[in-house]
Amino acid sequence: MREVKLPISSNQLTVLSMGVVAILWTQAANAAEVMPSTTLQTITVTANTSVRDKVQEDGVYVDNYTPAQQASHLSDFLNVVPGVTIGGTSSVNQRIRIRGLEDSNLKVTVDGARQEGKLFYHMGDITIDPDLLKQADVAVGNNSVTLGNDALGGAVAFETVDAADLLKPGQKIGAKLKAGYANNNDELLTSATVFGAPADNVDLLAYYGKRDTSSGEDGEGRELFEDSESESFLLKAGAYVGDDHHVGASFSRTDKEGTFPFRPDFPSLGDDPIPQKVKRDTYTLDYNFNPVSSLIDVDTTIYQTETQISRDNDPKTSPGYDWDAKVKTTGGKVENTSVIDTNSGRHKLIAGLEHYKKQSDFYTAKDRATKLPASGEDSAKNTSVYVEDQWQMGKLTLTPGVRYDRYEAPEFIAGGKTYDNVVGALAASYEIAPRTQVFASYTQLFNGPDLSQTIFNRDGAGTVVNNDLKAEEGDNAEVGVVTTLRDLTTANDSLQLSGKYFETNIENYIEFIRSGLSCGPNLGNDCQGAVNKDEDYKIKGVELAADYKMNNFSMGLSYAHARSKGEDTGYSFYSQTGSGSDAGDKYMVNLAYQPTDTTELGWRSTYVAPVTQTFILRGDVTELKKPSYDVHDIFMSYSPAQVDGLKATVGVYNLFDETYASHGSRLNPADATATDFEMGRNIKTSLTYQF
């Protein structure tokens, strides 16, 4: 394994780890002397108020879920949401999948800013350090016209931390320091956050974090091939103007530089690691106008986000690998919420307008050296107008909605074709008993042709423009029930049960074919380009969850099942770029116990059943077998009463050193062993101090 020089010595790392363990051991010895007086952390929560939304949207608050507090990868906390699977071992190729559909079919935002486009199909498109986040809200499936387009499978909304989240009552200025270490890949995280409220109506925050990582190992001791250094920045400011107006601005960046395999999603193939850089910048401006009126509550967001991959190789030894790929998205959204009481019930009317442009640019080494324009660029635009009415009539709530999209497709993909489309949605929920509701929803789907992978925006890429390309369409239907039972075994305990069945239909699915298309007269017969799949696909599944809370103990159980099938062939949904992938049946158990008001213990168990996908690849019927895996994590945190603001956390992840690959990762149909294996046993320790 290659060595990486870290900014602190191994002795200092040992001191950090021993310090955390010593604090925890001291507390364990005194645990019996302190009586618990607070309730346990909430593992998963929702930002919505209706019972139906609690099973159609979910989320994770970082401060309330110990694995999220030590996260270096999205899988450390998003996997807890039923229906969500995270693939990719490294942060440069991590992929979010909801019901098997990856992030290219999901709406992903950071502080309201869309993260659009694809750069290089062997790398992921979500570049963010979890240490920046305070929460991640997940729409499991598309169940509302307010979600917008480009969201066949749902959405993930990341939110970074605010000064208001950290300031204590009456506090004017404060700081938070953090240090963390993981032994498997010698990962060291150090970060500092400064926040303040110089005036009663103003809040400010500045964050800086540094993460150094060397190559880790899977359960069999095989190297995972990543040596990297990353830096993250976050600047935020907010101010209230009078009683009715709030303005805010933010800038966040994650900048990662290191050596990774040319194909990071197949590191076990043994590709020679090459120098690469991955960077994401996001700028946002937001404005809220909320006067003393139930008719006006306007939220406005303007944003720009840019994601870039750079490869700085020696052209003599690595020809064709020296380039930049960049995607920039600029857009804005205005949404007003009105609450109207009538004789027939209460209406919550949501009306919005969204517009964004996404542009991809490809730069060669010559472009950079001569400061020429990009060798290849492409762009797409979308404008949406939508309205939704949540009409509550006693125990019954009806939610109709309609959205209009005007989408201008990329030149490289569909010749700049314009698509005009109208979709509708209808949801209903009914309270059949106290704290028990049944619900159903139906939402039509629309998604115009996306940008090509940026690396194909260049001469010689052999990409065919498909002027006959159809937009992706379909629908998502769900039915379910949710109930809350109280005072079952003790006073104030609660058990929430939820279950749903869903069907997602995808028509005209757009697949980027790497080879086999005709380039036209005199240009050869082995080109690449976007085509509509010959058959429609249906994804069916169920998601079940049970959450029990009693004083200082909580338990969460969940089960998720999703399978895809072509209507004509019956084969699984799969594409050459890995966009469709059956994730297998996933069972998860979360246990948490707070023996004292300063100590928390937790255990997470994940079992994923084996699954076999049968699909057609380059004209041949192919089977892809994904073996089962069983992973266990344990963790403990302690906040000593003697030192206000200090918290020590230790966790052992993949406790039994399981060798496995997530079903959300790309697997090589030709060689199932040449995939992206997950990290073996990993011991993480961290200290945070907020004052």
Side-chain angles (χ1 to χ4, degrees):
M1 182 183 298
R2 294 182 300 279
E3 294 184 357
V4 175
K5 294 182 182 289
L6 298 174
I8 67 173
S9 67
S10 59
N11 288 336
Q12 289 173 306
L13 293 176
T14 302
V15 170
L16 171 63
S17 300
M18 292 180 63
V20 173
V21 173
I23 293 174
L24 295 173
W25 177 261
T26 300
Q27 172 58 22
N30 298 327
E33 302 175 7
V34 185
M35 295 299 294
S37 59
T38 60
T39 58
L40 191 65
Q41 63 183 5
T42 300
I43 292 180
T44 57
V45 296
T46 177
N48 302 282
T49 56
S50 73
V51 177
R52 176 181 64 85
D53 288 339
K54 290 184 179 180
V55 289
Q56 292 191 313
E57 295 192 24
D58 207 338
V60 178
Y61 281 82
V62 172
D63 282 345
N64 291 338
Y65 187 38
T66 302
Q69 298 169 36
Q70 299 201 106
S72 57
H73 191 276
L74 296 180
S75 63
D76 291 329
F77 59 97
L78 277 186
N79 270 338
V80 76
V81 179
V84 176
T85 303
I86 309 298
T89 301
S90 167
S91 59
V92 301
N93 68 312
Q94 59 188 352
R95 284 180 168 86
I96 304 173
R97 295 187 188 273
I98 296 180
R99 298 171 178 172
L101 295 172
E102 71 165 2
D103 44 64
S104 61
N105 299 121
L106 309 174
K107 177 185 176 183
V108 180
T109 59
V110 176
D111 289 334
R114 281 181 176 261
Q115 312 290 303
E116 293 285 335
K118 307 176 207 175
L119 296 164
F120 176 51
Y121 69 102
H122 287 290
M123 304 183 85
D125 302 312
I126 309 301
T127 305
I128 190 168
D129 192 318
D131 200 47
L132 290 169
L133 302 175
K134 70 173 179 181
Q135 72 183 75
D137 292 322
V138 183
V140 185
N142 190 330
N143 298 289
S144 171
V145 296
T146 63
L147 203 58
N149 77 323
D150 201 12
L152 293 182
V156 182
F158 295 108
E159 292 188 32
T160 57
V161 66
D162 294 303
D165 302 315
L166 302 175
L167 285 166
K168 300 176 182 178
Q171 187 178 20
K172 291 295 184 181
I173 188 170
K176 182 178 181 180
L177 305 177
K178 182 176 183 179
Y181 174 69
N183 80 315
N184 187 301
N185 57 349
D186 287 331
E187 180 180 86
L188 176 67
L189 168 68
T190 54
S191 68
T193 309
V194 179
F195 46 90
D200 291 340
N201 61 334
V202 176
D203 58 84
L204 305 170
L205 180 143
Y207 166 94
Y208 172 77
K210 193 172 190 303
R211 193 184 293 268
D212 295 326
T213 302
S214 64
S215 292
E217 299 178 346
D218 68 8
E220 294 185 3
R222 291 173 294 198
E223 190 173 2
L224 295 178
F225 297 104
E226 175 187 342
D227 293 335
S228 68
E229 296 181 357
S230 63
E231 292 182 304
S232 294
F233 305 86
L234 175 63
L235 300 174
K236 273 192 169 183
Y240 285 93
V241 182
D243 297 328
D244 304 333
H245 309 269
H246 182 269
V247 294
S250 70
F251 164 72
S252 65
R253 165 180 290 180
T254 297
D255 195 343
K256 191 179 188 74
E257 181 175 354
T259 57
F260 316 103
F262 174 71
R263 291 170 289 189
D265 52 352
F266 295 148
S268 56
L269 285 176
D271 290 342
D272 290 334
I274 60 176
Q276 303 183 58
K277 301 177 184 178
V278 183
K279 184 174 73 171
R280 177 197 56 83
D281 287 346
T282 298
Y283 303 83
T284 66
L285 290 172
D286 58 80
Y287 167 70
N288 174 258
F289 177 51
N290 186 13
V292 184
S293 170
S294 61
L295 299 178
I296 301 176
D297 186 357
V298 180
D299 281 310
T300 302
T301 302
I302 301 173
Y303 60 84
Q304 176 179 295
T305 183
E306 184 175 283
T307 305
Q308 180 178 8
I309 296 175
S310 302
R311 290 179 165 175
D312 298 305
N313 290 3
D314 185 347
K316 295 181 180 179
T317 59
S318 304
Y321 290 170
D322 193 359
W323 45 257
D324 288 350
K326 181 188 299 183
V327 174
K328 180 172 67 175
T329 305
T330 305
K333 181 179 179 180
V334 181
E335 185 176 276
N336 180 66
T337 302
S338 302
V339 178
I340 305 171
D341 289 312
T342 67
N343 292 332
S344 60
R346 167 168 288 191
H347 297 262
K348 183 179 179 181
L349 193 66
I350 302 173
L353 168 66
E354 181 183 19
H355 174 79
Y356 66 91
K357 176 184 178 181
K358 47 188 175 182
Q359 178 177 321
S360 61
D361 298 294
F362 179 83
Y363 296 84
T364 65
K366 181 179 179 181
D367 298 331
R368 290 187 299 199
T370 59
K371 301 189 183 303
L372 292 174
S375 292
E377 62 180 40
D378 208 358
S379 64
K381 299 178 183 178
N382 187 78
T383 302
S384 300
V385 180
Y386 58 87
V387 61
E388 179 180 271
D389 182 18
Q390 299 177 14
W391 182 14
Q392 184 176 357
M393 300 166 284
K395 297 182 178 181
L396 174 66
T397 300
L398 295 177
T399 307
V402 62
R403 188 181 82 244
Y404 165 76
D405 288 289
R406 180 177 177 83
Y407 185 83
E408 299 178 34
E411 290 285 346
F412 272 94
I413 294 294
K417 184 178 179 180
T418 298
Y419 301 81
D420 292 283
N421 193 77
V422 177
V423 297
L426 178 63
S429 64
Y430 185 75
E431 186 178 5
I432 59 175
R435 298 187 296 274
T436 301
Q437 287 191 358
V438 293
F439 64 88
S441 65
Y442 173 81
T443 307
Q444 294 177 315
L445 307 176
F446 167 79
N447 187 26
D450 200 357
L451 293 168
S452 171
Q453 296 174 53
T454 307
I455 59 168
F456 299 139
N457 294 358
R458 67 187 194 273
D459 294 336
T463 302
V464 177
V465 175
N466 186 349
N467 293 307
D468 298 323
L469 199 63
K470 300 176 183 177
E472 295 171 325
E473 297 178 347
D475 55 73
N476 181 62
E478 301 188 7
V479 295
V481 60
V482 58
T483 185
T484 300
L485 307 175
R486 300 188 182 278
D487 302 327
L488 295 174
T489 58
T490 63
N492 299 321
D493 70 347
S494 66
L495 173 64
Q496 184 180 85
L497 303 172
S498 64
K500 58 183 168 180
Y501 170 82
F502 66 87
E503 288 190 7
T504 302
N505 300 303
I506 302 176
E507 303 171 6
N508 310 321
Y509 182 80
I510 298 174
E511 180 178 17
F512 194 88
I513 302 295
R514 288 298 315 281
S515 62
L517 299 180
S518 175
C519 305
N522 305 318
L523 295 178
N525 294 304
D526 192 20
C527 282
Q528 60 190 6
V531 298
N532 294 114
K533 275 197 175 263
D534 294 333
E535 62 178 333
D536 299 335
Y537 280 85
K538 186 185 295 289
I539 303 173
K540 298 180 180 181
V542 297
E543 289 154 6
L544 308 175
D547 292 285
Y548 178 72
K549 298 178 183 179
M550 177 186 65
N551 296 325
N552 56 350
F553 172 78
S554 72
M555 176 175 63
L557 307 174
S558 66
Y559 167 73
H561 165 95
R563 290 291 186 276
S564 64
K565 184 177 292 187
E567 291 187 354
D568 298 328
T569 64
Y571 295 141
S572 302
F573 172 43
Y574 186 86
S575 75
Q576 292 186 27
T577 56
S579 297
S581 180
D582 288 350
D585 293 359
K586 184 171 77 171
Y587 305 79
M588 180 167 282
V589 179
N590 274 279
L591 298 179
Y593 176 56
Q594 190 172 350
T596 75
D597 56 2
T598 60
T599 307
E600 294 176 353
L601 308 172
W603 172 60
R604 177 175 64 181
S605 174
T606 305
Y607 172 75
V608 179
V611 64
T612 298
Q613 273 188 271
T614 304
F615 56 92
I616 299 178
L617 181 62
R618 298 184 179 92
D620 297 326
V621 178
T622 301
E623 276 195 353
L624 183 61
K625 297 182 178 180
K626 303 177 183 181
S628 65
Y629 55 89
D630 188 8
V631 182
H632 300 264
D633 309 317
I634 57 173
F635 33 87
M636 175 180 179
S637 65
Y638 170 56
S639 302
Q642 298 85 350
V643 184
D644 185 33
L646 180 65
K647 185 174 184 178
T649 306
V650 63
V652 183
Y653 301 84
N654 195 357
L655 177 65
F656 299 110
D657 211 16
E658 179 92 347
T659 301
Y660 73 103
S662 167
H663 289 183
S665 297
R666 290 191 63 211
L667 275 72
N668 189 345
D671 183 2
T673 63
T675 187
D676 193 359
F677 287 101
E678 296 289 326
M679 195 173 293
R681 184 185 298 112
N682 196 15
I683 302 174
K684 294 183 179 182
T685 59
S686 64
L687 283 172
T688 60
Y689 179 49
Q690 181 176 334
F691 56 94

